[in-house]
Amino acid sequence: EDQVTQSPEALRLQEGESSSLNCSYTVSGLRGLFWYRQDPGKGPEFLFTLYSAGEEKEKERLKATLTKKESFLHITAPKPEDSATYLCAVIPSQGGSEKLVFGKGTKLTVNP
Amino acid sequence: EPEVTQTPSHQVTQMGQEVILRCVPISNHLYFYWYRQILGQKVEFLVSFYNNEISEKSEIFDDQFSVERPDGSNFTLKIRSTKLEDSAMYFCASSERTREKLFFGSGTQLSVL
C-alpha cells in the first residue's frame, strides 16, 4: 500500500531558527511529489512539485529536495507568517492513478 | 490570481438528507477533483473528473456519492443520504494538466447531525 509519512508531527521554532521537515514515502514508483501549505480552515496551497531524485526547488525561505525515498522541506530563517501545516503528497506510478496520496502534515509554529 | 471557489463554506444537515456541494474551478482547467479531510486526519482523495466523466474514484466514493458538471463553470458533489461519518471538510480542486499542481478551494465544512 502506498504510504506517506511526515515528521515531526509538530515543530516549534523561534524566528530565524532554520530547520527541516521530512516526508518519507513508500510507493510503487513515483510520478511526482508535491509540497503544500495549509492554513487553518483553508485548502492546501501549492508550493513545489518534484519529479526525480536529486531535484531541488526554491521559493523565498523554502527549499524542497527529493531523494529516492524521501523529501525534505528546508526552512531558512523562518518568520511568524511561515506558521502553517505543511503537507507532502505523492502520485504513485502504479496503475495509472492520478490521485494525490497525502501525509498527515507537519504543523509548524514560528514564534517571534 | 485565479482561484477555485466553493459554496457554501459551512453546511449543517440531518443524517439521511441529501446535500450538494458546489465548486467553480479555474476557468481554463480541464481536470477536476474532490478530496475530503476528516478533522485531525489526512486529506483523502474521493474522485477525479475529466472530459465529462469520472476518471478515477476511491473506495470512499460509493453509490451515495455523485459528481456532475452541469454547465461550463460549475462542478458539484452530491451525497444522497448523508451519514454521521460523512462529516468532514470537502475540498474541490482543479488542474490544467494531469500530474501537475492542483489548485484547491477553501473547502466546505459539512456537519451531519
Side-chain angles (χ1 to χ4, degrees):
Chain A
E1 184 184 338
D2 300 319
Q3 282 202 343
V4 177
T5 304
Q6 292 188 246
S7 61
E9 289 186 12
L11 180 64
R12 285 186 174 273
L13 299 174
Q14 288 299 122
E15 185 172 1
E17 179 187 1
S18 302
S19 188
S20 296
L21 313 183
N22 177 262
C23 169
S24 63
Y25 56 91
T26 307
V27 295
S28 47
L30 181 72
R31 298 180 68 187
L33 184 140
F34 299 77
W35 281 98
Y36 283 86
R37 170 192 170 125
Q38 187 176 28
D39 292 301
K42 300 288 187 183
E45 177 187 345
F46 173 79
L47 293 173
F48 303 109
T49 309
L50 301 166
Y51 291 106
S52 55
E55 194 175 353
E56 297 183 353
K57 294 272 180 75
E58 224 170 319
K59 178 182 176 182
E60 296 180 354
R61 295 178 293 283
L62 300 176
K63 179 180 177 181
T65 61
L66 180 65
T67 71
K68 288 185 177 180
K69 292 292 182 187
E70 58 190 350
S71 176
F72 291 93
L73 185 65
H74 306 278
I75 303 177
T76 302
K79 299 182 177 183
E81 53 261 43
D82 295 321
S83 297
T85 295
Y86 290 85
L87 303 175
C88 173
V90 301
I91 298 181
S93 62
Q94 187 177 28
S97 173
E98 299 297 331
K99 68 181 182 187
L100 286 173
V101 178
F102 280 87
K104 285 195 77 172
T106 293
K107 183 176 180 181
L108 174 67
T109 305
V110 182
N111 296 313
Chain B
E1 184 170 317
E3 59 181 25
V4 175
T5 305
Q6 289 187 244
T7 54
S9 56
H10 293 86
Q11 175 90 51
V12 180
T13 189
Q14 295 291 326
M15 191 169 56
Q17 294 297 304
E18 174 183 288
V19 293
I20 297 176
L21 310 184
R22 302 180 191 279
C23 170
V24 178
I26 294 173
S27 60
N28 64 330
H29 285 187
L30 301 176
Y31 296 83
F32 313 113
Y33 310 84
W34 285 100
Y35 284 78
R36 78 175 187 187
Q37 187 175 29
I38 295 171
L39 187 64
Q41 298 189 24
K42 298 180 182 184
V43 177
E44 305 174 282
F45 169 79
L46 292 178
V47 66
S48 58
F49 192 87
Y50 170 71
N51 201 25
N52 283 319
E53 60 183 24
I54 290 174
S55 48
E56 186 177 359
K57 60 183 181 180
S58 71
E59 291 177 355
I60 303 167
F61 195 89
D62 61 21
D63 293 344
Q64 295 302 311
F65 290 85
S66 63
V67 289
E68 194 177 38
R69 188 155 164 82
D71 52 43
S73 59
N74 291 284
F75 181 50
T76 62
L77 174 69
K78 181 193 289 186
I79 310 175
R80 289 190 185 83
S81 178
T82 50
K83 307 183 184 78
L84 295 176
E85 55 264 36
D86 293 328
S87 295
M89 178 76 93
Y90 287 79
F91 294 110
C92 174
S94 67
S95 65
E96 194 171 352
R97 284 178 287 273
T98 186
R99 208 168 68 109
E100 292 198 354
K101 61 185 178 184
L102 270 61
F103 290 81
F104 285 83
S106 289
T108 294
Q109 180 65 56
L110 176 65
S111 298
V112 182
L113 307 178

